[in-house]
């Protein structure tokens, strides 16, 4: 061992050897290299420390790549992302197919769905994307729920609901908005009134749907989706912020006796408002 190494060098070197966390080990080793005296007697030591550092960094990068490869992600293709959760054989795949026509396998065998499966439906101006979460409740699958706007819990009994709630709590998902659907009779009974289910999803998602009406033209069928509490200014900023420079007023068409009234930028929009912008 080269001479003239300070006492703190040996203390830090021991910390490096004992540290188990890879990131922290790299940080400590970098610090050890910094405090190592730079002279002819420490050249071999510094070379060895840098080799150790390089090897640790390669290991960290390899683990990071592996983690990214195995992580389950779903690209959001709709205005609302809804995760369907429930125990095996409760009818999640049947529901997904009924709502979205997704090509999913439906079987009497338990745990048929092995990976998250997605489908999209267009309903009342917006695209709602559903993801069926496999009943294994793996953390890598439940990570999708964290990025979802809402959870659709499909259960057969109160006991199942309680058990499902425990799983959500364990995975820190208890605060997520949810819609609870009970399928306690035939497996297809709950798909007969999907409109009510979809209306409830939109209500719980915390959004407002705004339908644009260009002056002199028909109302557009595709809604602009904003968060609850959004204003006309928020709407314009989402469409084209440059329009704010020439904005004069907006007309709001709704189900009230004041339909067609003029409003300004601070008007708070309601769900299903029809908006005509004037510049």
């Amino acid at each position: 061992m080269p001479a003239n190494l300070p006492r703190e060098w040996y203390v830090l070197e021991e910390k490096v050897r004992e540290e188990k966390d890879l990131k922290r080990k790299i940080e400590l080793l970098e610090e050890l290299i910094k405090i190592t005296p730079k002279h002819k007697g420490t050249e071999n030591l510094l070379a060895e420390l840098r080799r150790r550092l390089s090897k640790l960094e390669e290991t960290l990068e390899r683990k990071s790549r592996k983690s990214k490869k195995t992580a389950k992600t779903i690209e959001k293709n709709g205005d609302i992302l809804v995760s369907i959760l429930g125990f095996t054989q409760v009818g999640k795949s049947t529901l997904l197919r009924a709502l979205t026509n997704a090509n999913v396998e439906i079987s009497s065998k338990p745990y048929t769905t092995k990976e998250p499966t997605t489908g999209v439906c267009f309903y009342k101006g917006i695209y709602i994307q559903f993801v069926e979460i496999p009943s294994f409740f793996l953390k890598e699958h439940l990570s999708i729920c964290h990025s979802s706007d809402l959870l659709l819990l499909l259960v057969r009994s109160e006991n199942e609901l309680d058990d499902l709630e425990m799983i959500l709590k364990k995975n820190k998902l208890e605060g997520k908005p949810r819609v609870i659907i009970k399928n306690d009779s035939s497996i297809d009974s709950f798909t007969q009134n999907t409109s009510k289910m979809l209306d409830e999803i939109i209500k719980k998602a915390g959004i407002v749907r705004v339908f644009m009406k260009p002056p002199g033209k028909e109302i557009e069928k595709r809604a602009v989706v904003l968060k609850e509490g959004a204003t006309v200014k928020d709407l314009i900023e989402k469409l084209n912020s440059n329009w704010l420079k020439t904005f004069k007023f907006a007309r709001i068409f709704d189900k009230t006796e004041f339909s067609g009234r003029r409003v300004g930028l601070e008007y708070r929009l309601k769900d299903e408002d029809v908006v005509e912008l004037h510049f």
Side-chain angles (χ1 to χ4, degrees):
M1 179 69 65
N4 301 324
L5 291 175
R7 181 179 179 278
E8 61 263 31
W9 190 96
Y10 294 97
V11 174
L12 186 56
E13 198 273 341
E14 185 177 359
K15 287 183 179 179
V16 173
R17 284 188 283 106
E18 293 180 351
E19 181 60 55
K20 303 300 182 184
D21 181 81
L22 190 55
K23 287 185 178 180
R24 180 60 181 154
K25 196 178 189 73
I26 289 173
E27 290 173 358
L28 291 172
L29 188 52
E30 288 174 336
E31 185 62 28
L32 186 64
I33 291 172
K34 286 180 183 179
I35 69 169
T36 301
K38 310 299 189 290
H39 54 71
K40 193 171 182 64
T42 61
E43 287 178 353
N44 291 337
L45 173 61
L46 283 168
E48 175 59 26
L49 292 175
R50 291 188 179 110
R51 279 194 293 270
R52 287 171 61 188
L53 178 62
S54 178
K55 187 174 181 180
L56 289 174
E57 288 174 338
E58 288 176 2
T59 302
L60 180 63
E61 184 179 356
R62 186 167 60 252
K63 287 186 175 182
S64 177
R65 286 198 303 266
K66 184 178 179 181
S67 176
K68 289 179 181 178
K69 185 176 180 181
T70 58
K72 302 300 177 183
T73 58
I74 293 291
E75 182 179 352
K76 187 173 180 178
N77 295 318
D79 298 303
I80 301 174
L81 179 60
V82 180
S83 287
I84 305 174
L85 294 113
F87 294 100
T88 187
Q89 294 293 287
V90 75
K92 298 188 300 298
S93 295
T94 300
L95 178 60
L96 182 65
R97 179 183 288 184
L99 292 171
T100 70
N101 291 322
N103 184 19
V104 292
E105 182 181 357
I106 298 174
S107 170
S108 58
K109 296 180 181 179
Y111 301 102
T112 303
T113 302
K114 302 294 192 298
E115 296 292 335
T117 308
T118 186
V120 179
C121 74
F122 185 76
Y123 182 74
K124 292 187 177 180
I126 65 172
Y127 286 98
I128 305 176
Q129 181 181 7
F130 293 89
V131 182
E132 179 187 351
I133 305 298
S135 299
F136 306 107
F137 303 114
L138 301 178
K139 283 192 175 182
E140 59 193 77
H141 295 159
L142 291 174
S143 65
I144 299 168
C145 299
H146 286 280
S147 58
S148 297
D149 300 295
L150 183 137
L151 307 179
L152 181 60
L153 308 186
L154 190 55
V155 298
R156 284 166 290 222
S157 64
E158 287 296 326
N159 286 338
E160 278 196 357
L161 178 58
D162 291 341
D163 291 343
L164 199 53
E165 293 282 7
M166 288 298 294
I167 292 171
L168 296 180
K169 185 175 182 179
K170 182 180 178 181
N171 289 276
K172 298 181 180 180
L173 287 163
E174 66 271 26
K176 275 282 182 182
R178 76 275 309 276
V179 171
I180 300 170
I181 303 297
K182 287 192 176 180
N183 180 29
D184 51 8
S185 54
S186 69
I187 207 164
D188 293 323
S189 63
F190 62 98
T191 66
Q192 294 174 2
N193 191 7
T194 57
S195 295
K196 183 178 179 181
M197 185 189 307
L198 294 171
D199 286 336
E200 185 69 11
I201 286 171
I202 291 173
K203 180 180 178 181
K204 291 287 184 68
I207 63 168
V208 291
R209 293 162 295 160
V210 177
F211 294 86
M212 304 306 298
K213 181 187 178 301
K217 296 184 179 180
E218 297 293 319
I219 301 171
E220 295 179 357
K221 294 182 179 180
R222 178 78 163 91
V224 179
V225 178
L226 300 165
K227 292 182 179 180
E228 282 183 344
T231 63
V232 170
K233 183 180 179 182
D234 296 323
L235 170 64
I236 295 175
E237 286 179 338
K238 183 166 185 176
L239 295 173
N240 188 334
S241 59
N242 289 328
W243 292 353
L244 287 171
K245 300 174 184 177
T246 56
F247 173 80
K248 293 180 180 178
F249 64 90
R251 287 193 184 277
I252 302 296
F253 300 91
D254 54 20
K255 297 177 183 179
T256 71
E257 59 182 307
F258 306 107
S259 181
R261 63 195 178 279
R262 289 189 180 194
V263 300
L265 290 173
E266 299 309 313
Y267 175 80
R268 186 169 291 184
L269 296 160
K270 307 184 304 299
D271 189 39
E272 295 188 275
D273 270 349
V274 174
V275 179
E276 186 180 271
L277 296 175
H278 290 263
F279 304 97

